[in-house]
Structures are given as C-alpha cells and as structure tokens.
Amino acid sequence: MTVIFPSPIFGPVHSRRLGVSLGINLLPADGKVCSFDCIYCECGYNAEHRAKTPLPTREEVRKALEEKLKDMQINGPAPDVLTFAGNGEPTAHPKFPEIIEDTLQLRDTYFPEAKVSVLSNSTFITRPAVFDALNKVDNNILKLDTVDEGYIRLVDRPNGSYSVRRMIDKMKAYQGNCIIQTMFLKGSYQGKDVDNTSDTYVLPWLEAIKEIAPRQVMIYTIDRETPDHDLEKATPQELDRIVDLIKQSGISATASY
C-alpha cells in the first residue's frame, strides 16, 4: 500500500530514527513531487501519483504549523522533532529557505527543545539558498545510497543531471554539519541485482563517508511496501556489519531494521 501524506502538516508520528515527529510536507496532498523516482519509495512511483493540486504556499505552511503547535502545547504530545518529509523532495519547494526561517521561529516560540530535521535526497544542495537553509537546521539529513553512478541511475533514478562527485563535494562543504542517510536493500529490479550490502558497494561508499566526515550516519532498510515487489530487506546482521565499519572510522552510526 502506497503512502501519500496529508499536506502541509501530518502526524505526529513515531519515527524509527527521530522520536515523536511532527511532519511538514511541502508537496501537494494528492500526489508526489520528487527529483528522484526511487524503486523503494513508500510513496510509489512519480508517474503513478501525479499531483493535481499546487504546492502549499509559505503562508499556508506557516499558519497550519502554528495552529498545530498551539494545539500540541495544550493537548500534547510535545514533539521531539519537526520533520520536513512527505510526498517527495522538500527542498524542491521554491520557498524552502523562507519556510525554514518561519519554522525555526515557530519552534523557538512553542517548543524550543524540539529539533528541526530535513530529510533530503541532496539533489538541490547545489543551490546556495538551499545549502544555507539546511545549514541552519538541527538535523540536516542527506541521502547517499551509494557512490556507484550506475546503481543510482537504476535504483534512485534521478530526473535531472546528477553527479555523485558533485554531491560529495557539497556534502563536504557542510564541514560535519550533516547526517548521511543510506538505504541498504537486496533483491532485483528489471532483472538486475540491486544488493548494495556487499563490500563492492560498501567500501567505496565508506571512503566517501570518511571524506564527507558527517556527524552521524543513519543506515536503514525497507520498512513499508515498495512499488517494485522484487526488493528485499537487508538483514540486521548485514546492517550491523556496516555500522561497525563506520564506527571503526570514528564516525557515529545507527541502523534501523
């Protein structure tokens, strides 16, 4: 079953990685807008979920967020985190930098202990305004599933031009103020093996992680139904092995099974 989130606010939900999370969805409520078209995306394929309604405006997001935070102040629960996620890539919103400013201000007013997190596929960090906005949030969570260009084109399926090297260089420019998030999975897609848990993929990726030097790495595997049905979860043992390799490099790491 595909997951399409309400917009612009959903939850709170209990996140495997972040705790009590209030979701902020900058994409339409009736479809998906993303610069990737990942074969494992819980929101389904882009072509199957074309949005017919516009993006929420900056003003709509701010108003809905403030109303929800006021309600949570009175009725609970207190959020651990305000998380930009939802039906696609949040940084694709043309007013993303301004919405981050609004969100930080509202967070400071209503729940100053809460963190602001952004789950991003990293494709727009080459835009200076997006790069700077992500540098201001508590948890700047950037996707890097592999450093193999062919694998990214097969599994993550970027819509526009994409360069792994350029992404790594921009991630390095955060000087540690980022968290790298990586999906590990197995199975096949269009007859091709998509297992990225072996050293063939893990060791070059680990070298890139060392180069980026993030403050943390979050690795995870499939949790919900995927649009392609020949995909399989990585095992806890496989994820634990990768976590150990990251920790041996002196970088904090967690796995979600």
Side-chain angles (χ1 to χ4, degrees), residues 33-60:
V33 179
C34 197
S35 47
F36 273 1
D37 195 12
C38 299
I39 63 174
Y40 59 75
C41 182
E42 66 186 18
C43 297
Y45 290 132
N46 294 353
E48 294 170 5
H49 300 281
R50 295 272 183 230
K52 297 179 179 64
T53 56
L55 301 176
T57 66
R58 174 188 179 180
E59 292 71 26
E60 286 168 344

Side-chain angles (χ1 to χ4, degrees), residues 105-126:
Q105 186 181 46
L106 290 170
R107 182 275 310 270
D108 292 347
T109 301
Y110 293 98
F111 289 100
E113 299 299 311
K115 306 292 186 190
V116 174
S117 298
V118 180
L119 299 174
S120 171
N121 66 21
S122 313
T123 50
F124 293 113
I125 62 174
T126 52

Side-chain angles (χ1 to χ4, degrees), residues 29-99:
D30 66 341
K32 185 183 169 203
V33 179
C34 197
S35 47
F36 273 1
D37 195 12
C38 299
I39 63 174
Y40 59 75
C41 182
E42 66 186 18
C43 297
Y45 290 132
N46 294 353
E48 294 170 5
H49 300 281
R50 295 272 183 230
K52 297 179 179 64
T53 56
L55 301 176
T57 66
R58 174 188 179 180
E59 292 71 26
E60 286 168 344
V61 175
R62 182 185 174 93
K63 183 171 183 285
L65 179 57
E66 183 158 27
E67 286 174 359
K68 185 64 177 178
L69 292 176
K70 283 180 177 176
D71 175 69
M72 293 173 84
Q73 243 189 1
I74 296 165
N75 300 308
D80 295 310
V81 63
L82 312 180
T83 306
F84 285 82
N87 305 334
E89 175 52 36
T91 64
H93 195 291
K95 293 292 183 183
F96 175 76
E98 294 86 350
I99 291 170

Side-chain angles (χ1 to χ4, degrees), residues 33-257:
V33 179
C34 197
S35 47
F36 273 1
D37 195 12
C38 299
I39 63 174
Y40 59 75
C41 182
E42 66 186 18
C43 297
Y45 290 132
N46 294 353
E48 294 170 5
H49 300 281
R50 295 272 183 230
K52 297 179 179 64
T53 56
L55 301 176
T57 66
R58 174 188 179 180
E59 292 71 26
E60 286 168 344
V61 175
R62 182 185 174 93
K63 183 171 183 285
L65 179 57
E66 183 158 27
E67 286 174 359
K68 185 64 177 178
L69 292 176
K70 283 180 177 176
D71 175 69
M72 293 173 84
Q73 243 189 1
I74 296 165
N75 300 308
D80 295 310
V81 63
L82 312 180
T83 306
F84 285 82
N87 305 334
E89 175 52 36
T91 64
H93 195 291
K95 293 292 183 183
F96 175 76
E98 294 86 350
I99 291 170
I100 287 294
E101 293 291 345
D102 293 343
T103 303
L104 292 171
Q105 186 181 46
L106 290 170
R107 182 275 310 270
D108 292 347
T109 301
Y110 293 98
F111 289 100
E113 299 299 311
K115 306 292 186 190
V116 174
S117 298
V118 180
L119 299 174
S120 171
N121 66 21
S122 313
T123 50
F124 293 113
I125 62 174
T126 52
R127 296 179 179 177
V130 170
F131 181 94
D132 292 343
L134 288 172
N135 221 1
K136 294 173 184 173
V137 304
D138 301 289
N139 297 315
N140 170 24
I141 304 172
L142 301 173
K143 173 178 291 297
L144 184 66
D145 283 344
T146 174
V147 296
D148 185 292
E149 295 264 5
Y151 187 95
I152 286 173
R153 301 206 182 286
L154 178 68
V155 174
D156 293 342
R157 307 198 306 172
N159 295 326
S161 62
Y162 182 92
S163 160
V164 173
R165 184 66 254 169
R166 194 175 180 208
M167 289 301 120
I168 292 169
D169 287 342
K170 291 305 290 184
M171 290 171 177
K172 279 171 63 179
Y174 280 111
Q175 299 182 319
N177 187 32
C178 65
I179 296 168
I180 300 300
Q181 185 181 64
T182 301
M183 165 66 82
F184 286 99
L185 50 76
K186 300 192 294 183
S188 63
Y189 175 66
Q190 295 181 343
K192 295 180 180 174
D193 182 21
V194 294
D195 184 343
N196 65 336
T197 64
S198 69
D199 284 349
T200 303
Y201 289 101
V202 171
L203 296 182
W205 168 85
L206 186 59
E207 288 307 308
I209 294 295
K210 292 178 194 172
E211 202 180 332
I212 296 163
R215 75 164 197 265
Q216 187 184 354
V217 177
M218 293 176 170
I219 68 171
Y220 66 125
T221 191
I222 297 164
D223 186 40
R224 298 188 178 97
E225 186 177 345
T226 58
D228 186 272
H229 298 296
D230 294 324
L231 305 179
E232 302 167 17
K233 288 171 77 86
T235 66
Q237 293 79 11
E238 287 164 330
L239 294 181
D240 287 344
R241 182 186 84 89
I242 296 166
V243 163
D244 287 342
L245 288 171
I246 302 164
K247 287 180 175 176
Q248 287 168 23
S249 302
I251 297 169
S252 173
T254 59
S256 298
Y257 308 122

